[in-house]
Structure formats: C-alpha cells, structure tokens
Amino acid sequence: MILRQFLDTYPVVAASYLVGCGGRGVAAVIDPLEGIERYLEAADSLGMRIRYVIDTHVHADHLSSGRALAEAAAADYVLWAGVASAPGTRGVDDGESLEIGNVRLAIWHTPGHTPEHLSLLVTDGKRGPEPWSVFTGHTLMVGDMGRTELAGSGEEGARQLYRSARRLAQLPDHVEVLPGAFSGSVCGRGLSGKPWSTIGFERRFNRAFRLTEEAEFVSYMLRDTPPPPAGAAETRARNLGATLQEA
C-alpha cells in the first residue's frame, strides 16, 4: 500500500490523502483541497492512476476540488448515497467497499459532524486481512471530535456523533486514525498539531472519544462551540451541486 498525506494551513487547516496499490497502479484521493495538480503529479510520480476521488463529507469551510480532480483524472467522484444527487457523482452506502488493487476501502456511515459523513476503513490485502487504518474526516480527529451544528441541529448531530464514536471505538487499538483536520481547524476544538494517531491512543486520551455515556458526550460536544466559518451554508450548497473549476 502507498499512502501520502498532504497538509494545508491556508486558506483552511486540513489534511488530504492519496492512497492506493503500487503493484496494480491504482489510487484514491480523499478530501482534496485546492491545487489538484499536486494530486495528479503525486499519482503520476508513483505510476498510479486515480480511480476514485472521495469527499468524506460535504465541507462547510472550503470549496472542495473533488469534482474538478475527478474530471481531470477521469475518476469517479464519490459521496454518501444520501446526498449524491448531482450529475457525475457516485453514491456509496454503509457496508460497501471500493477496491483499489490490493487495497480495500470499506465504507462506514459515521454521521454527526454532518449527516452524510463517511469513514473509510483501509485493508491492505498484501499485508493481512485486518484493517490497518481508518480515514475519519472530521468525525474523529486527534484530541477531539468534529463540531456538530454546521449542517443541522447541534444536539441531534451530537447524538449521531456519539453512535459513530462508539462504532469507531470497537476497532482494534493499533488501527491508525487518519483525520481530515488538525490544530487550527474551525471544525474542532482543542485539536492536536500531530495529524495522525491510533484508535487506542484516542480511546484513552481524546477528550470526547473517551466519553462512554451519551448524555455526558452530548453535553461536552455542545459546549464552547467556536463561531461557524463564514458562509458555511452557501459553501455546503456549492459543494453539493456545483462542478467546481480549479482556480
């Protein structure tokens, strides 16, 4: 398996990824930001073709370049089936898998930060049958979990996020957590500057993830919510339907 992490601090703080199978020469890009050339160049330098471009959720703090990248790479653009209504979008649902050579991305619906949020559980068939990593977007990050009011009711989002957290907490300790943001992002509070972790470490030390009672979790998630990003609703609407052109 080949994995590359791209870290951005401007105009938003976010992490995106290229993951795939070097032997079969196929890859997926997850949560791409501006500058689609870097993903195309990274894939080309590794002798890989981008087959899927996946947004873990409909972003509210920036315009996704997912559609533009998918078009440039002749790849499928992937979102959760419940919001994949725009032309050229492939919808996936809980329990499905995307195959990229010897690498499998199992789709888990993990709502809470947004209703449509996905996590992607990674298995490398060349290494073994058990999951190695999980791309968690803004559901589970290093040190905290994603805010819950940007796409609906904060309380209902927190209850959904609690159920998603309990599902992720069932993964083995060694599974790597590859989040979509890190310290400085408006989508979480108290995030670490270290942009990856493990399920075991987060289960022990993550402020929200370690809470096992729903009422306590919901109360925590509704406290000290930072101001929303400017134009959040409009940004989500554009990401849902617009075919965005790379600037």
Side-chain angles (χ1 to χ4, degrees), residues 65-86:
S65 67
R67 297 177 191 276
L69 176 58
E71 183 176 355
D76 288 348
Y77 177 61
V78 179
L79 281 174
W80 181 59
V83 295
S85 58

Side-chain angles (χ1 to χ4, degrees), residues 69-225:
L69 176 58
E71 183 176 355
D76 288 348
Y77 177 61
V78 179
L79 281 174
W80 181 59
V83 295
S85 58
T89 305
R90 173 173 173 173
V92 293
D93 213 338
D94 191 87
E96 293 186 38
S97 293
L98 299 175
E99 306 290 336
I100 41 178
N102 293 310
V103 176
R104 184 175 77 246
L105 304 178
I107 307 298
W108 280 17
H109 183 209
T110 52
H113 175 63
T114 66
E116 74 285 345
H117 203 294
L118 301 174
S119 294
L120 307 166
L121 193 60
V122 185
T123 302
D124 180 359
K126 296 288 285 186
R127 296 295 307 277
E130 297 182 5
W132 190 355
S133 309
V134 59
F135 294 105
T136 53
H138 293 174
T139 292
L140 173 60
M141 294 177 282
V142 183
D144 209 337
M145 300 189 74
R147 62 193 297 170
T148 63
E149 89 297 346
L150 290 178
S153 161
E155 181 174 350
E156 177 56 30
R159 296 191 186 281
Q160 292 178 341
L161 189 64
Y162 172 78
R163 293 189 287 272
S164 296
R166 292 303 90 211
R167 185 179 186 186
L168 289 166
Q170 295 174 15
L171 291 170
D173 281 355
H174 68 266
V175 171
E176 296 171 329
V177 174
L178 301 173
F182 52 100
S183 179
S185 170
V186 298
C187 290
R189 308 158 300 173
L191 302 180
S192 173
K194 182 175 181 288
W196 68 89
S197 186
T198 65
I199 289 290
F201 196 88
E202 295 309 302
R203 187 188 290 110
R204 290 187 62 189
F205 299 111
N206 186 302
R207 295 172 179 85
F209 196 54
R210 68 187 180 189
L211 299 177
T212 59
E213 297 297 327
E214 181 174 359
E216 185 180 7
F217 180 91
V218 171
S219 176
Y220 172 81
M221 290 307 304
L222 296 180
R223 293 200 304 266
D224 304 320
T225 303

